[in-house]
Amino acid sequence: QLILANFQIIKMALIEELNQQGNKLFKYRSNLPVPFAVLGLAIYLYNIHMGKEIHSLTFEIGCLAVGLFGQLIRAITLGYTPKGTSGRNTHGQVAEKLNTKGMYSLVRNPLYLGNFFMWFAIILFIDVHWFSILYIMSFWMYYERIIFAEENFLRNKYGEPYLKWTMETPIFIPRLMGWKQPNLDFSFKNILKREYSGFFALFFTFGLFDLIENYMRFNQWYFDDFWAYSFWVSGGITIILRALKKKTKILQVKGR
């Protein structure tokens, strides 16, 4: 009994530690790509300096497609979510409603799944296998704690309905069946209002890598044609959407 009691104490201490770590990391959950982007750029430039071959445009577009796939997952998720859920808040856990429909009927953390693919696109572009593995391991360790803290919060707030949902829905790898239609209509405006910055960041990062690579290889600052068009078009869209959000009510949707 003493051994069992000690085990329970250790277990509770571990749970408390994971919860505390998760709540701390929750505030900085959007910062994970920053050190990886910096380190990735350093690795990329080193490989160029060592004479690594230039990527084909097909390979680069393939990497971009992975990122856009992640953006699509986020878009489908946010197109159905009500106000007070699935937000970018950094002060603490907030959930005015329990999302169990739409993408949340297929996977419990669709936004983090979308983030994984958006950031993984950049990692793939670096084209270093050990760096890809490091990213996957770091992502899992980082978000495992955040998800633990979030689920602890939701379990305490919603109780049995939440537990029932977790029993039916996988944590990160989506099931392919079981879509439940949300109560709200799909809102494209909600996506435009909330996702323009992440959309531009994807093209900006690829464009930055292309710009620096061209300078390293040819001693000239320029974009390749594809990335030049992508950068300026995505930048223009972002400026317009930001202005609409800040200066008008065009993108406002009731209850979103």
Side-chain angles (χ1 to χ4, degrees), residues 30-46 115 118-128 130-132 134-136 138-139 201-210 212:
S30 299
N31 295 345
L32 179 63
V34 176
F36 272 93
V38 174
L39 178 58
L41 180 59
I43 295 171
Y44 192 65
L45 295 180
Y46 174 78
N115 289 350
M118 288 183 69
W119 302 339
F120 193 46
I122 307 301
I123 305 302
L124 288 176
F125 190 85
I126 306 301
D127 196 20
V128 175
W130 67 262
F131 191 56
S132 298
L134 176 63
Y135 164 76
I136 294 172
S138 299
F139 184 96
L202 190 63
F203 287 94
F204 174 82
T205 306
F206 277 112
L208 179 63
F209 274 57
D210 179 66
I212 295 176

Side-chain angles (χ1 to χ4, degrees), residues 80-85 97 184 190 193 252-256:
Y80 286 113
T81 53
K83 185 178 181 180
T85 63
K97 296 181 180 179
L184 294 174
N190 199 43
K193 179 177 66 176
Q252 291 186 7
V253 183
K254 186 177 180 180
R256 305 296 182 99

Side-chain angles (χ1 to χ4, degrees), residues 44-142:
Y44 192 65
L45 295 180
Y46 174 78
N47 286 340
I48 294 173
H49 178 72
M50 296 301 293
K52 187 171 183 177
E53 293 183 3
I54 299 176
H55 289 148
S56 68
L57 181 59
T58 301
F59 174 83
E60 294 179 351
I61 293 176
C63 293
L64 176 63
V66 172
L68 292 176
F69 176 66
Q71 183 73 76
L72 177 63
I73 293 174
R74 289 185 56 89
I76 295 173
T77 303
L78 294 172
Y80 286 113
T81 53
K83 185 178 181 180
T85 63
S86 303
R88 295 180 180 272
N89 55 295
T90 58
H91 301 293
Q93 308 287 352
V94 175
E96 295 180 7
K97 296 181 180 179
L98 179 62
N99 286 330
T100 61
K101 296 182 178 180
M103 285 299 296
Y104 289 94
S105 63
L106 305 181
V107 62
R108 301 204 306 258
N109 298 279
L111 293 180
Y112 295 160
L113 179 64
N115 289 350
F116 172 82
F117 284 109
M118 288 183 69
W119 302 339
F120 193 46
I122 307 301
I123 305 302
L124 288 176
F125 190 85
I126 306 301
D127 196 20
V128 175
H129 298 315
W130 67 262
F131 191 56
S132 298
I133 295 172
L134 176 63
Y135 164 76
I136 294 172
M137 293 176 62
S138 299
F139 184 96
W140 179 252
M141 292 176 64
Y142 191 83

Side-chain angles (χ1 to χ4, degrees), residues 5-39:
N6 289 334
F7 175 77
Q8 290 294 337
I9 293 173
I10 294 173
K11 180 180 177 181
M12 292 303 295
L14 179 60
I15 291 174
E16 184 64 24
E17 179 67 20
L18 288 173
N19 192 57
Q20 290 179 357
Q21 290 178 8
N23 283 319
K24 289 180 180 179
L25 293 174
F26 177 84
K27 300 177 182 180
Y28 309 103
R29 64 192 185 282
S30 299
N31 295 345
L32 179 63
V34 176
F36 272 93
V38 174
L39 178 58

